[in-house]
Amino acid sequence: MIRGKISSLIDKNIIAYCMLGFGSHLLTHVWEFYYVKLFVNVYNVDPVWFNVAQIVFMIWNAINDPLFAYYQDRSRLRWIRKRQLAILYTAPIWCLSFLIPWFPWKSVLDESWVVGLHLLIALCVWDTMLTFVLLNQCALFTEISGRYGDRVSLMRWQVFFNFISSWTVFITEYFSDHMNNILGLQLVCIVLAFLAWLSFTYCALNVTSSFDEAIEDEIRKPEAKSNEESIFTLCRHLVTNLNFILFIVMNFLQICHSTYNKNFLAIFADQLIPEGSISSTVRSLLYGSPYVLTCFFLLATTLVVERFGAYRLIVGFFFYKLLQSTFVYVMGSTYIYLLAVYLITDMIITNITFSQFNLILADIVDDDRVRYGRSTPISSTVFGMNALFTKPAQSVAPMLVLSMLNRYRYTSHIQSGGTSLTETEVESLKDGMFSLACMWPAVVAIIQLAVWLPYSLRNTHKRIAKT
């Protein structure tokens, strides 16, 4: 009977929840793929300003997650506490923040600091709204159902919607002519922002959670027991949880790898795969295919996850990532198509691995709720604390990679239109890029394996969660 009710709830909510993911992917795919290349290659941001913007972004990025998460789990204001209302009221602002990077400010005032300020404001406003909306998305994933099988099913359906949204990079590449047509890029981004707003609104008006009534009861109570717990108490509960600590260390490295892939795939491919070696169409496929192919492979892996659990799949991908990068490094950079396949595959594996993390965090939320006897889960707090420690990787990775490339004078090479380096220096730059493309995944995989193997919540797929 209980299982039937939960299955019915999943059927009722599946489209609404997936529309939230659909809208968020419309925005994040394009943002992550283009913003670094846009500011570095088109706006010619000064490296000092780039690092300043990333450092400020890193600090704010880390602070806002636990703050927003705590108030989403413990606030007495309905528009913050209720997941649906929070999405309805804040998602439109997120859509507007998505448009900030694509309209240059330097055309108004031709100063280098203007580009740096543009990057800083774009990053901080974007992340503020993204955090508020996506914390609710992550919480809903946990709260719609407590059954592992239902969560895997929900993830499987989300893949279908992700597949539709994964074509955004293809479309943007076509209309922007590989970012040579800024007007085309701007028009596509406006359309994407509008479509995302429609998706968010549909979700907010239709999705429901199994904890909606319990949350309403806590809001109505003059003094709720849950509100007696301060943010420091909740944080202490989490940071003393060994499984949570192991996860955030592993996830920090995964975000470093994922951010590196999304921000630098096009940059590396432009240098390592000469313009005449592949056609413009093939290059567009190279840049856009990881997002599409991820959906197909992720759909296949849901069957593996349901049977063996997310923990074992993640371990397997770490081993594969290590072996693949080692093999390509041994083969060398002369095999153009092998290199292209490697760049695509590395990004796909990283994306698929990252897609399993909601299941892991949902297990940690369930474990925390049972351990401390909570009436409602602290879903947003768990996801927010995870972000506190892991989101700085989104700034660390671009700064670290760009600083490595600038040892070969990459920024100077781009800003001069490719005329500042000698032929020998260009070859040295390409060798450095190739080594980085192979060593970064390998080193990350080794550390992740060492950290992740002791994780103990590895058999949750075999039990039925308490709801």
Side-chain angles (χ1 to χ4, degrees):
M1 177 68 69
I2 294 176
R3 181 172 179 176
K5 289 181 179 179
I6 294 175
S7 297
S8 175
L9 184 63
I10 286 288
D11 294 339
K12 180 181 178 181
N13 281 302
I14 194 166
I15 300 298
Y17 175 81
C18 290
M19 287 299 287
L20 177 57
F22 171 77
S24 66
H25 279 91
L26 287 179
L27 305 182
T28 56
H29 283 336
V30 172
W31 177 282
E32 292 167 346
F33 191 83
Y34 284 108
Y35 97 85
V36 170
K37 187 177 180 181
L38 179 74
F39 277 93
V40 173
N41 290 9
V42 179
Y43 296 166
N44 296 324
V45 64
D46 185 275
V48 174
W49 267 104
F50 182 85
N51 288 337
V52 168
Q54 292 291 348
I55 291 171
V56 174
F57 169 58
M58 176 175 62
I59 296 171
W60 173 239
N61 199 3
I63 293 173
N64 64 27
D65 283 274
L67 289 178
F68 291 168
Y70 177 75
Y71 285 108
Q72 286 181 6
D73 281 337
R74 292 294 179 256
S75 175
R76 307 295 291 276
L77 298 174
R78 290 186 77 252
W79 76 269
I80 295 179
R81 189 73 188 278
K82 291 282 289 184
R83 311 295 183 194
Q84 300 89 335
L85 294 180
I87 295 169
L88 182 66
Y89 296 147
T90 60
I93 307 175
W94 183 27
C95 295
L96 292 175
S97 73
F98 168 72
L99 299 176
I100 295 176
W102 321 120
F103 297 86
W105 295 3
K106 195 174 181 180
S107 59
V108 179
L109 186 60
D110 191 13
E111 296 287 346
S112 62
W113 64 266
V114 175
V115 180
L117 183 64
H118 186 186
L119 174 61
L120 174 61
I121 292 177
L123 285 173
C124 291
V125 176
W126 158 266
D127 183 71
T128 299
M129 304 318 303
L130 174 147
T131 298
F132 205 93
V133 175
L134 293 195
L135 278 174
N136 285 286
Q137 180 189 16
C138 295
L140 283 171
F141 179 84
T142 301
E143 296 169 7
I144 284 177
S145 172
R147 293 188 66 254
Y148 194 88
D150 286 339
R151 288 170 177 170
V152 174
S153 178
L154 189 60
M155 187 175 72
R156 184 180 295 125
W157 278 99
Q158 182 68 73
V159 172
F160 172 74
F161 286 83
N162 290 353
F163 170 75
I164 301 174
S165 63
S166 65
W167 293 87
T168 52
V169 173
F170 280 120
I171 295 170
T172 310
E173 276 287 287
Y174 176 79
F175 284 101
S176 70
D177 188 23
H178 310 296
M179 231 164 58
N180 293 316
N181 180 359
I182 297 300
L183 177 60
L185 176 67
Q186 293 168 343
L187 292 176
V188 170
C189 289
I190 291 172
V191 173
L192 292 178
F194 178 72
L195 293 176
W197 170 72
L198 292 178
S199 302
F200 295 145
T201 302
Y202 179 87
C203 169
L205 295 178
N206 292 278
V207 74
T208 59
S209 162
S210 58
F211 291 95
D212 281 345
E213 292 184 6
I215 290 174
E216 287 285 1
D217 290 341
E218 288 193 355
I219 294 174
R220 287 192 295 265
K221 288 179 182 177
E223 290 293 337
K225 179 182 177 181
S226 60
N227 284 314
E228 296 172 3
E229 292 182 308
S230 69
I231 185 172
F232 301 105
T233 302
L234 296 180
C235 291
R236 178 170 54 81
H237 290 166
L238 290 175
V239 298
T240 55
N241 184 332
L242 178 59
N243 286 318
F244 181 72
I245 297 300
L246 294 174
F247 174 78
I248 62 175
V249 174
M250 181 273 290
N251 191 18
F252 180 90
L253 295 167
Q254 189 68 17
I255 292 176
C256 277
H257 191 184
S258 177
T259 305
Y260 146 82
N261 270 328
K262 292 171 181 175
N263 292 166
F264 291 93
L265 170 65
I267 291 174
F268 280 23
D270 285 348
Q271 297 295 323
L272 296 176
I273 303 176
E275 197 166 319
S277 60
I278 59 175
S279 67
S280 176
T281 302
V282 173
R283 191 173 294 274
S284 295
L285 290 173
L286 170 63
Y287 295 160
S289 61
Y291 297 99
V292 177
L293 294 176
T294 294
C295 297
F296 288 107
F297 287 104
L298 184 57
L299 189 60
T301 59
T302 56
L303 302 175
V304 179
V305 171
E306 203 160 16
R307 182 172 180 180
F308 298 104
Y311 168 83
R312 291 172 179 81
L313 182 68
I314 292 170
V315 170
F317 280 142
F318 290 162
F319 276 112
Y320 179 85
K321 183 165 62 176
L322 174 60
L323 294 174
Q324 176 184 244
S325 57
T326 304
F327 173 75
V328 173
Y329 183 75
V330 171
M331 293 299 295
S333 61
T334 56
Y335 297 92
I336 298 299
Y337 284 97
L338 173 63
L339 181 59
V341 171
Y342 166 68
L343 292 174
I344 293 172
T345 306
D346 184 50
M347 189 168 178
I348 291 172
I349 293 298
T350 305
N351 290 344
I352 294 175
T353 305
F354 193 79
S355 297
Q356 312 303 318
F357 289 178
N358 275 358
L359 287 172
I360 301 296
L361 282 169
D363 289 339
I364 293 174
V365 171
D366 292 339
D367 180 66
D368 173 88
R369 183 163 65 92
V370 172
R371 180 179 301 185
Y372 295 102
R374 308 187 195 280
S375 59
T376 58
I378 54 169
S379 308
S380 287
T381 301
V382 171
F383 282 92
M385 283 295 292
N386 164 64
L388 169 66
F389 295 106
T390 60
K391 270 196 171 183
Q394 294 178 350
S395 295
V396 170
M399 285 192 296
L400 187 57
V401 174
L402 193 60
S403 66
M404 291 178 178
L405 295 180
N406 281 337
R407 293 175 61 185
Y408 303 94
R409 299 173 58 200
Y410 170 75
T411 301
S412 174
H413 176 61
I414 292 299
Q415 292 181 352
S416 68
T419 61
S420 65
L421 301 185
T422 65
E423 187 174 336
T424 302
E425 289 174 327
V426 170
E427 289 303 316
S428 179
L429 170 62
K430 291 181 179 180
D431 289 341
M433 280 188 171
F434 175 73
S435 297
L436 184 59
C438 295
M439 290 299 100
W440 185 281
V443 172
V444 167
I446 292 171
I447 302 174
Q448 284 179 312
L449 282 168
V451 171
W452 189 235
L453 287 175
Y455 180 82
S456 64
L457 296 176
R458 57 184 69 178
N459 293 314
T460 52
H461 61 292
K462 296 181 179 179
R463 67 171 172 81
I464 300 178
K466 296 178 182 179
T467 57

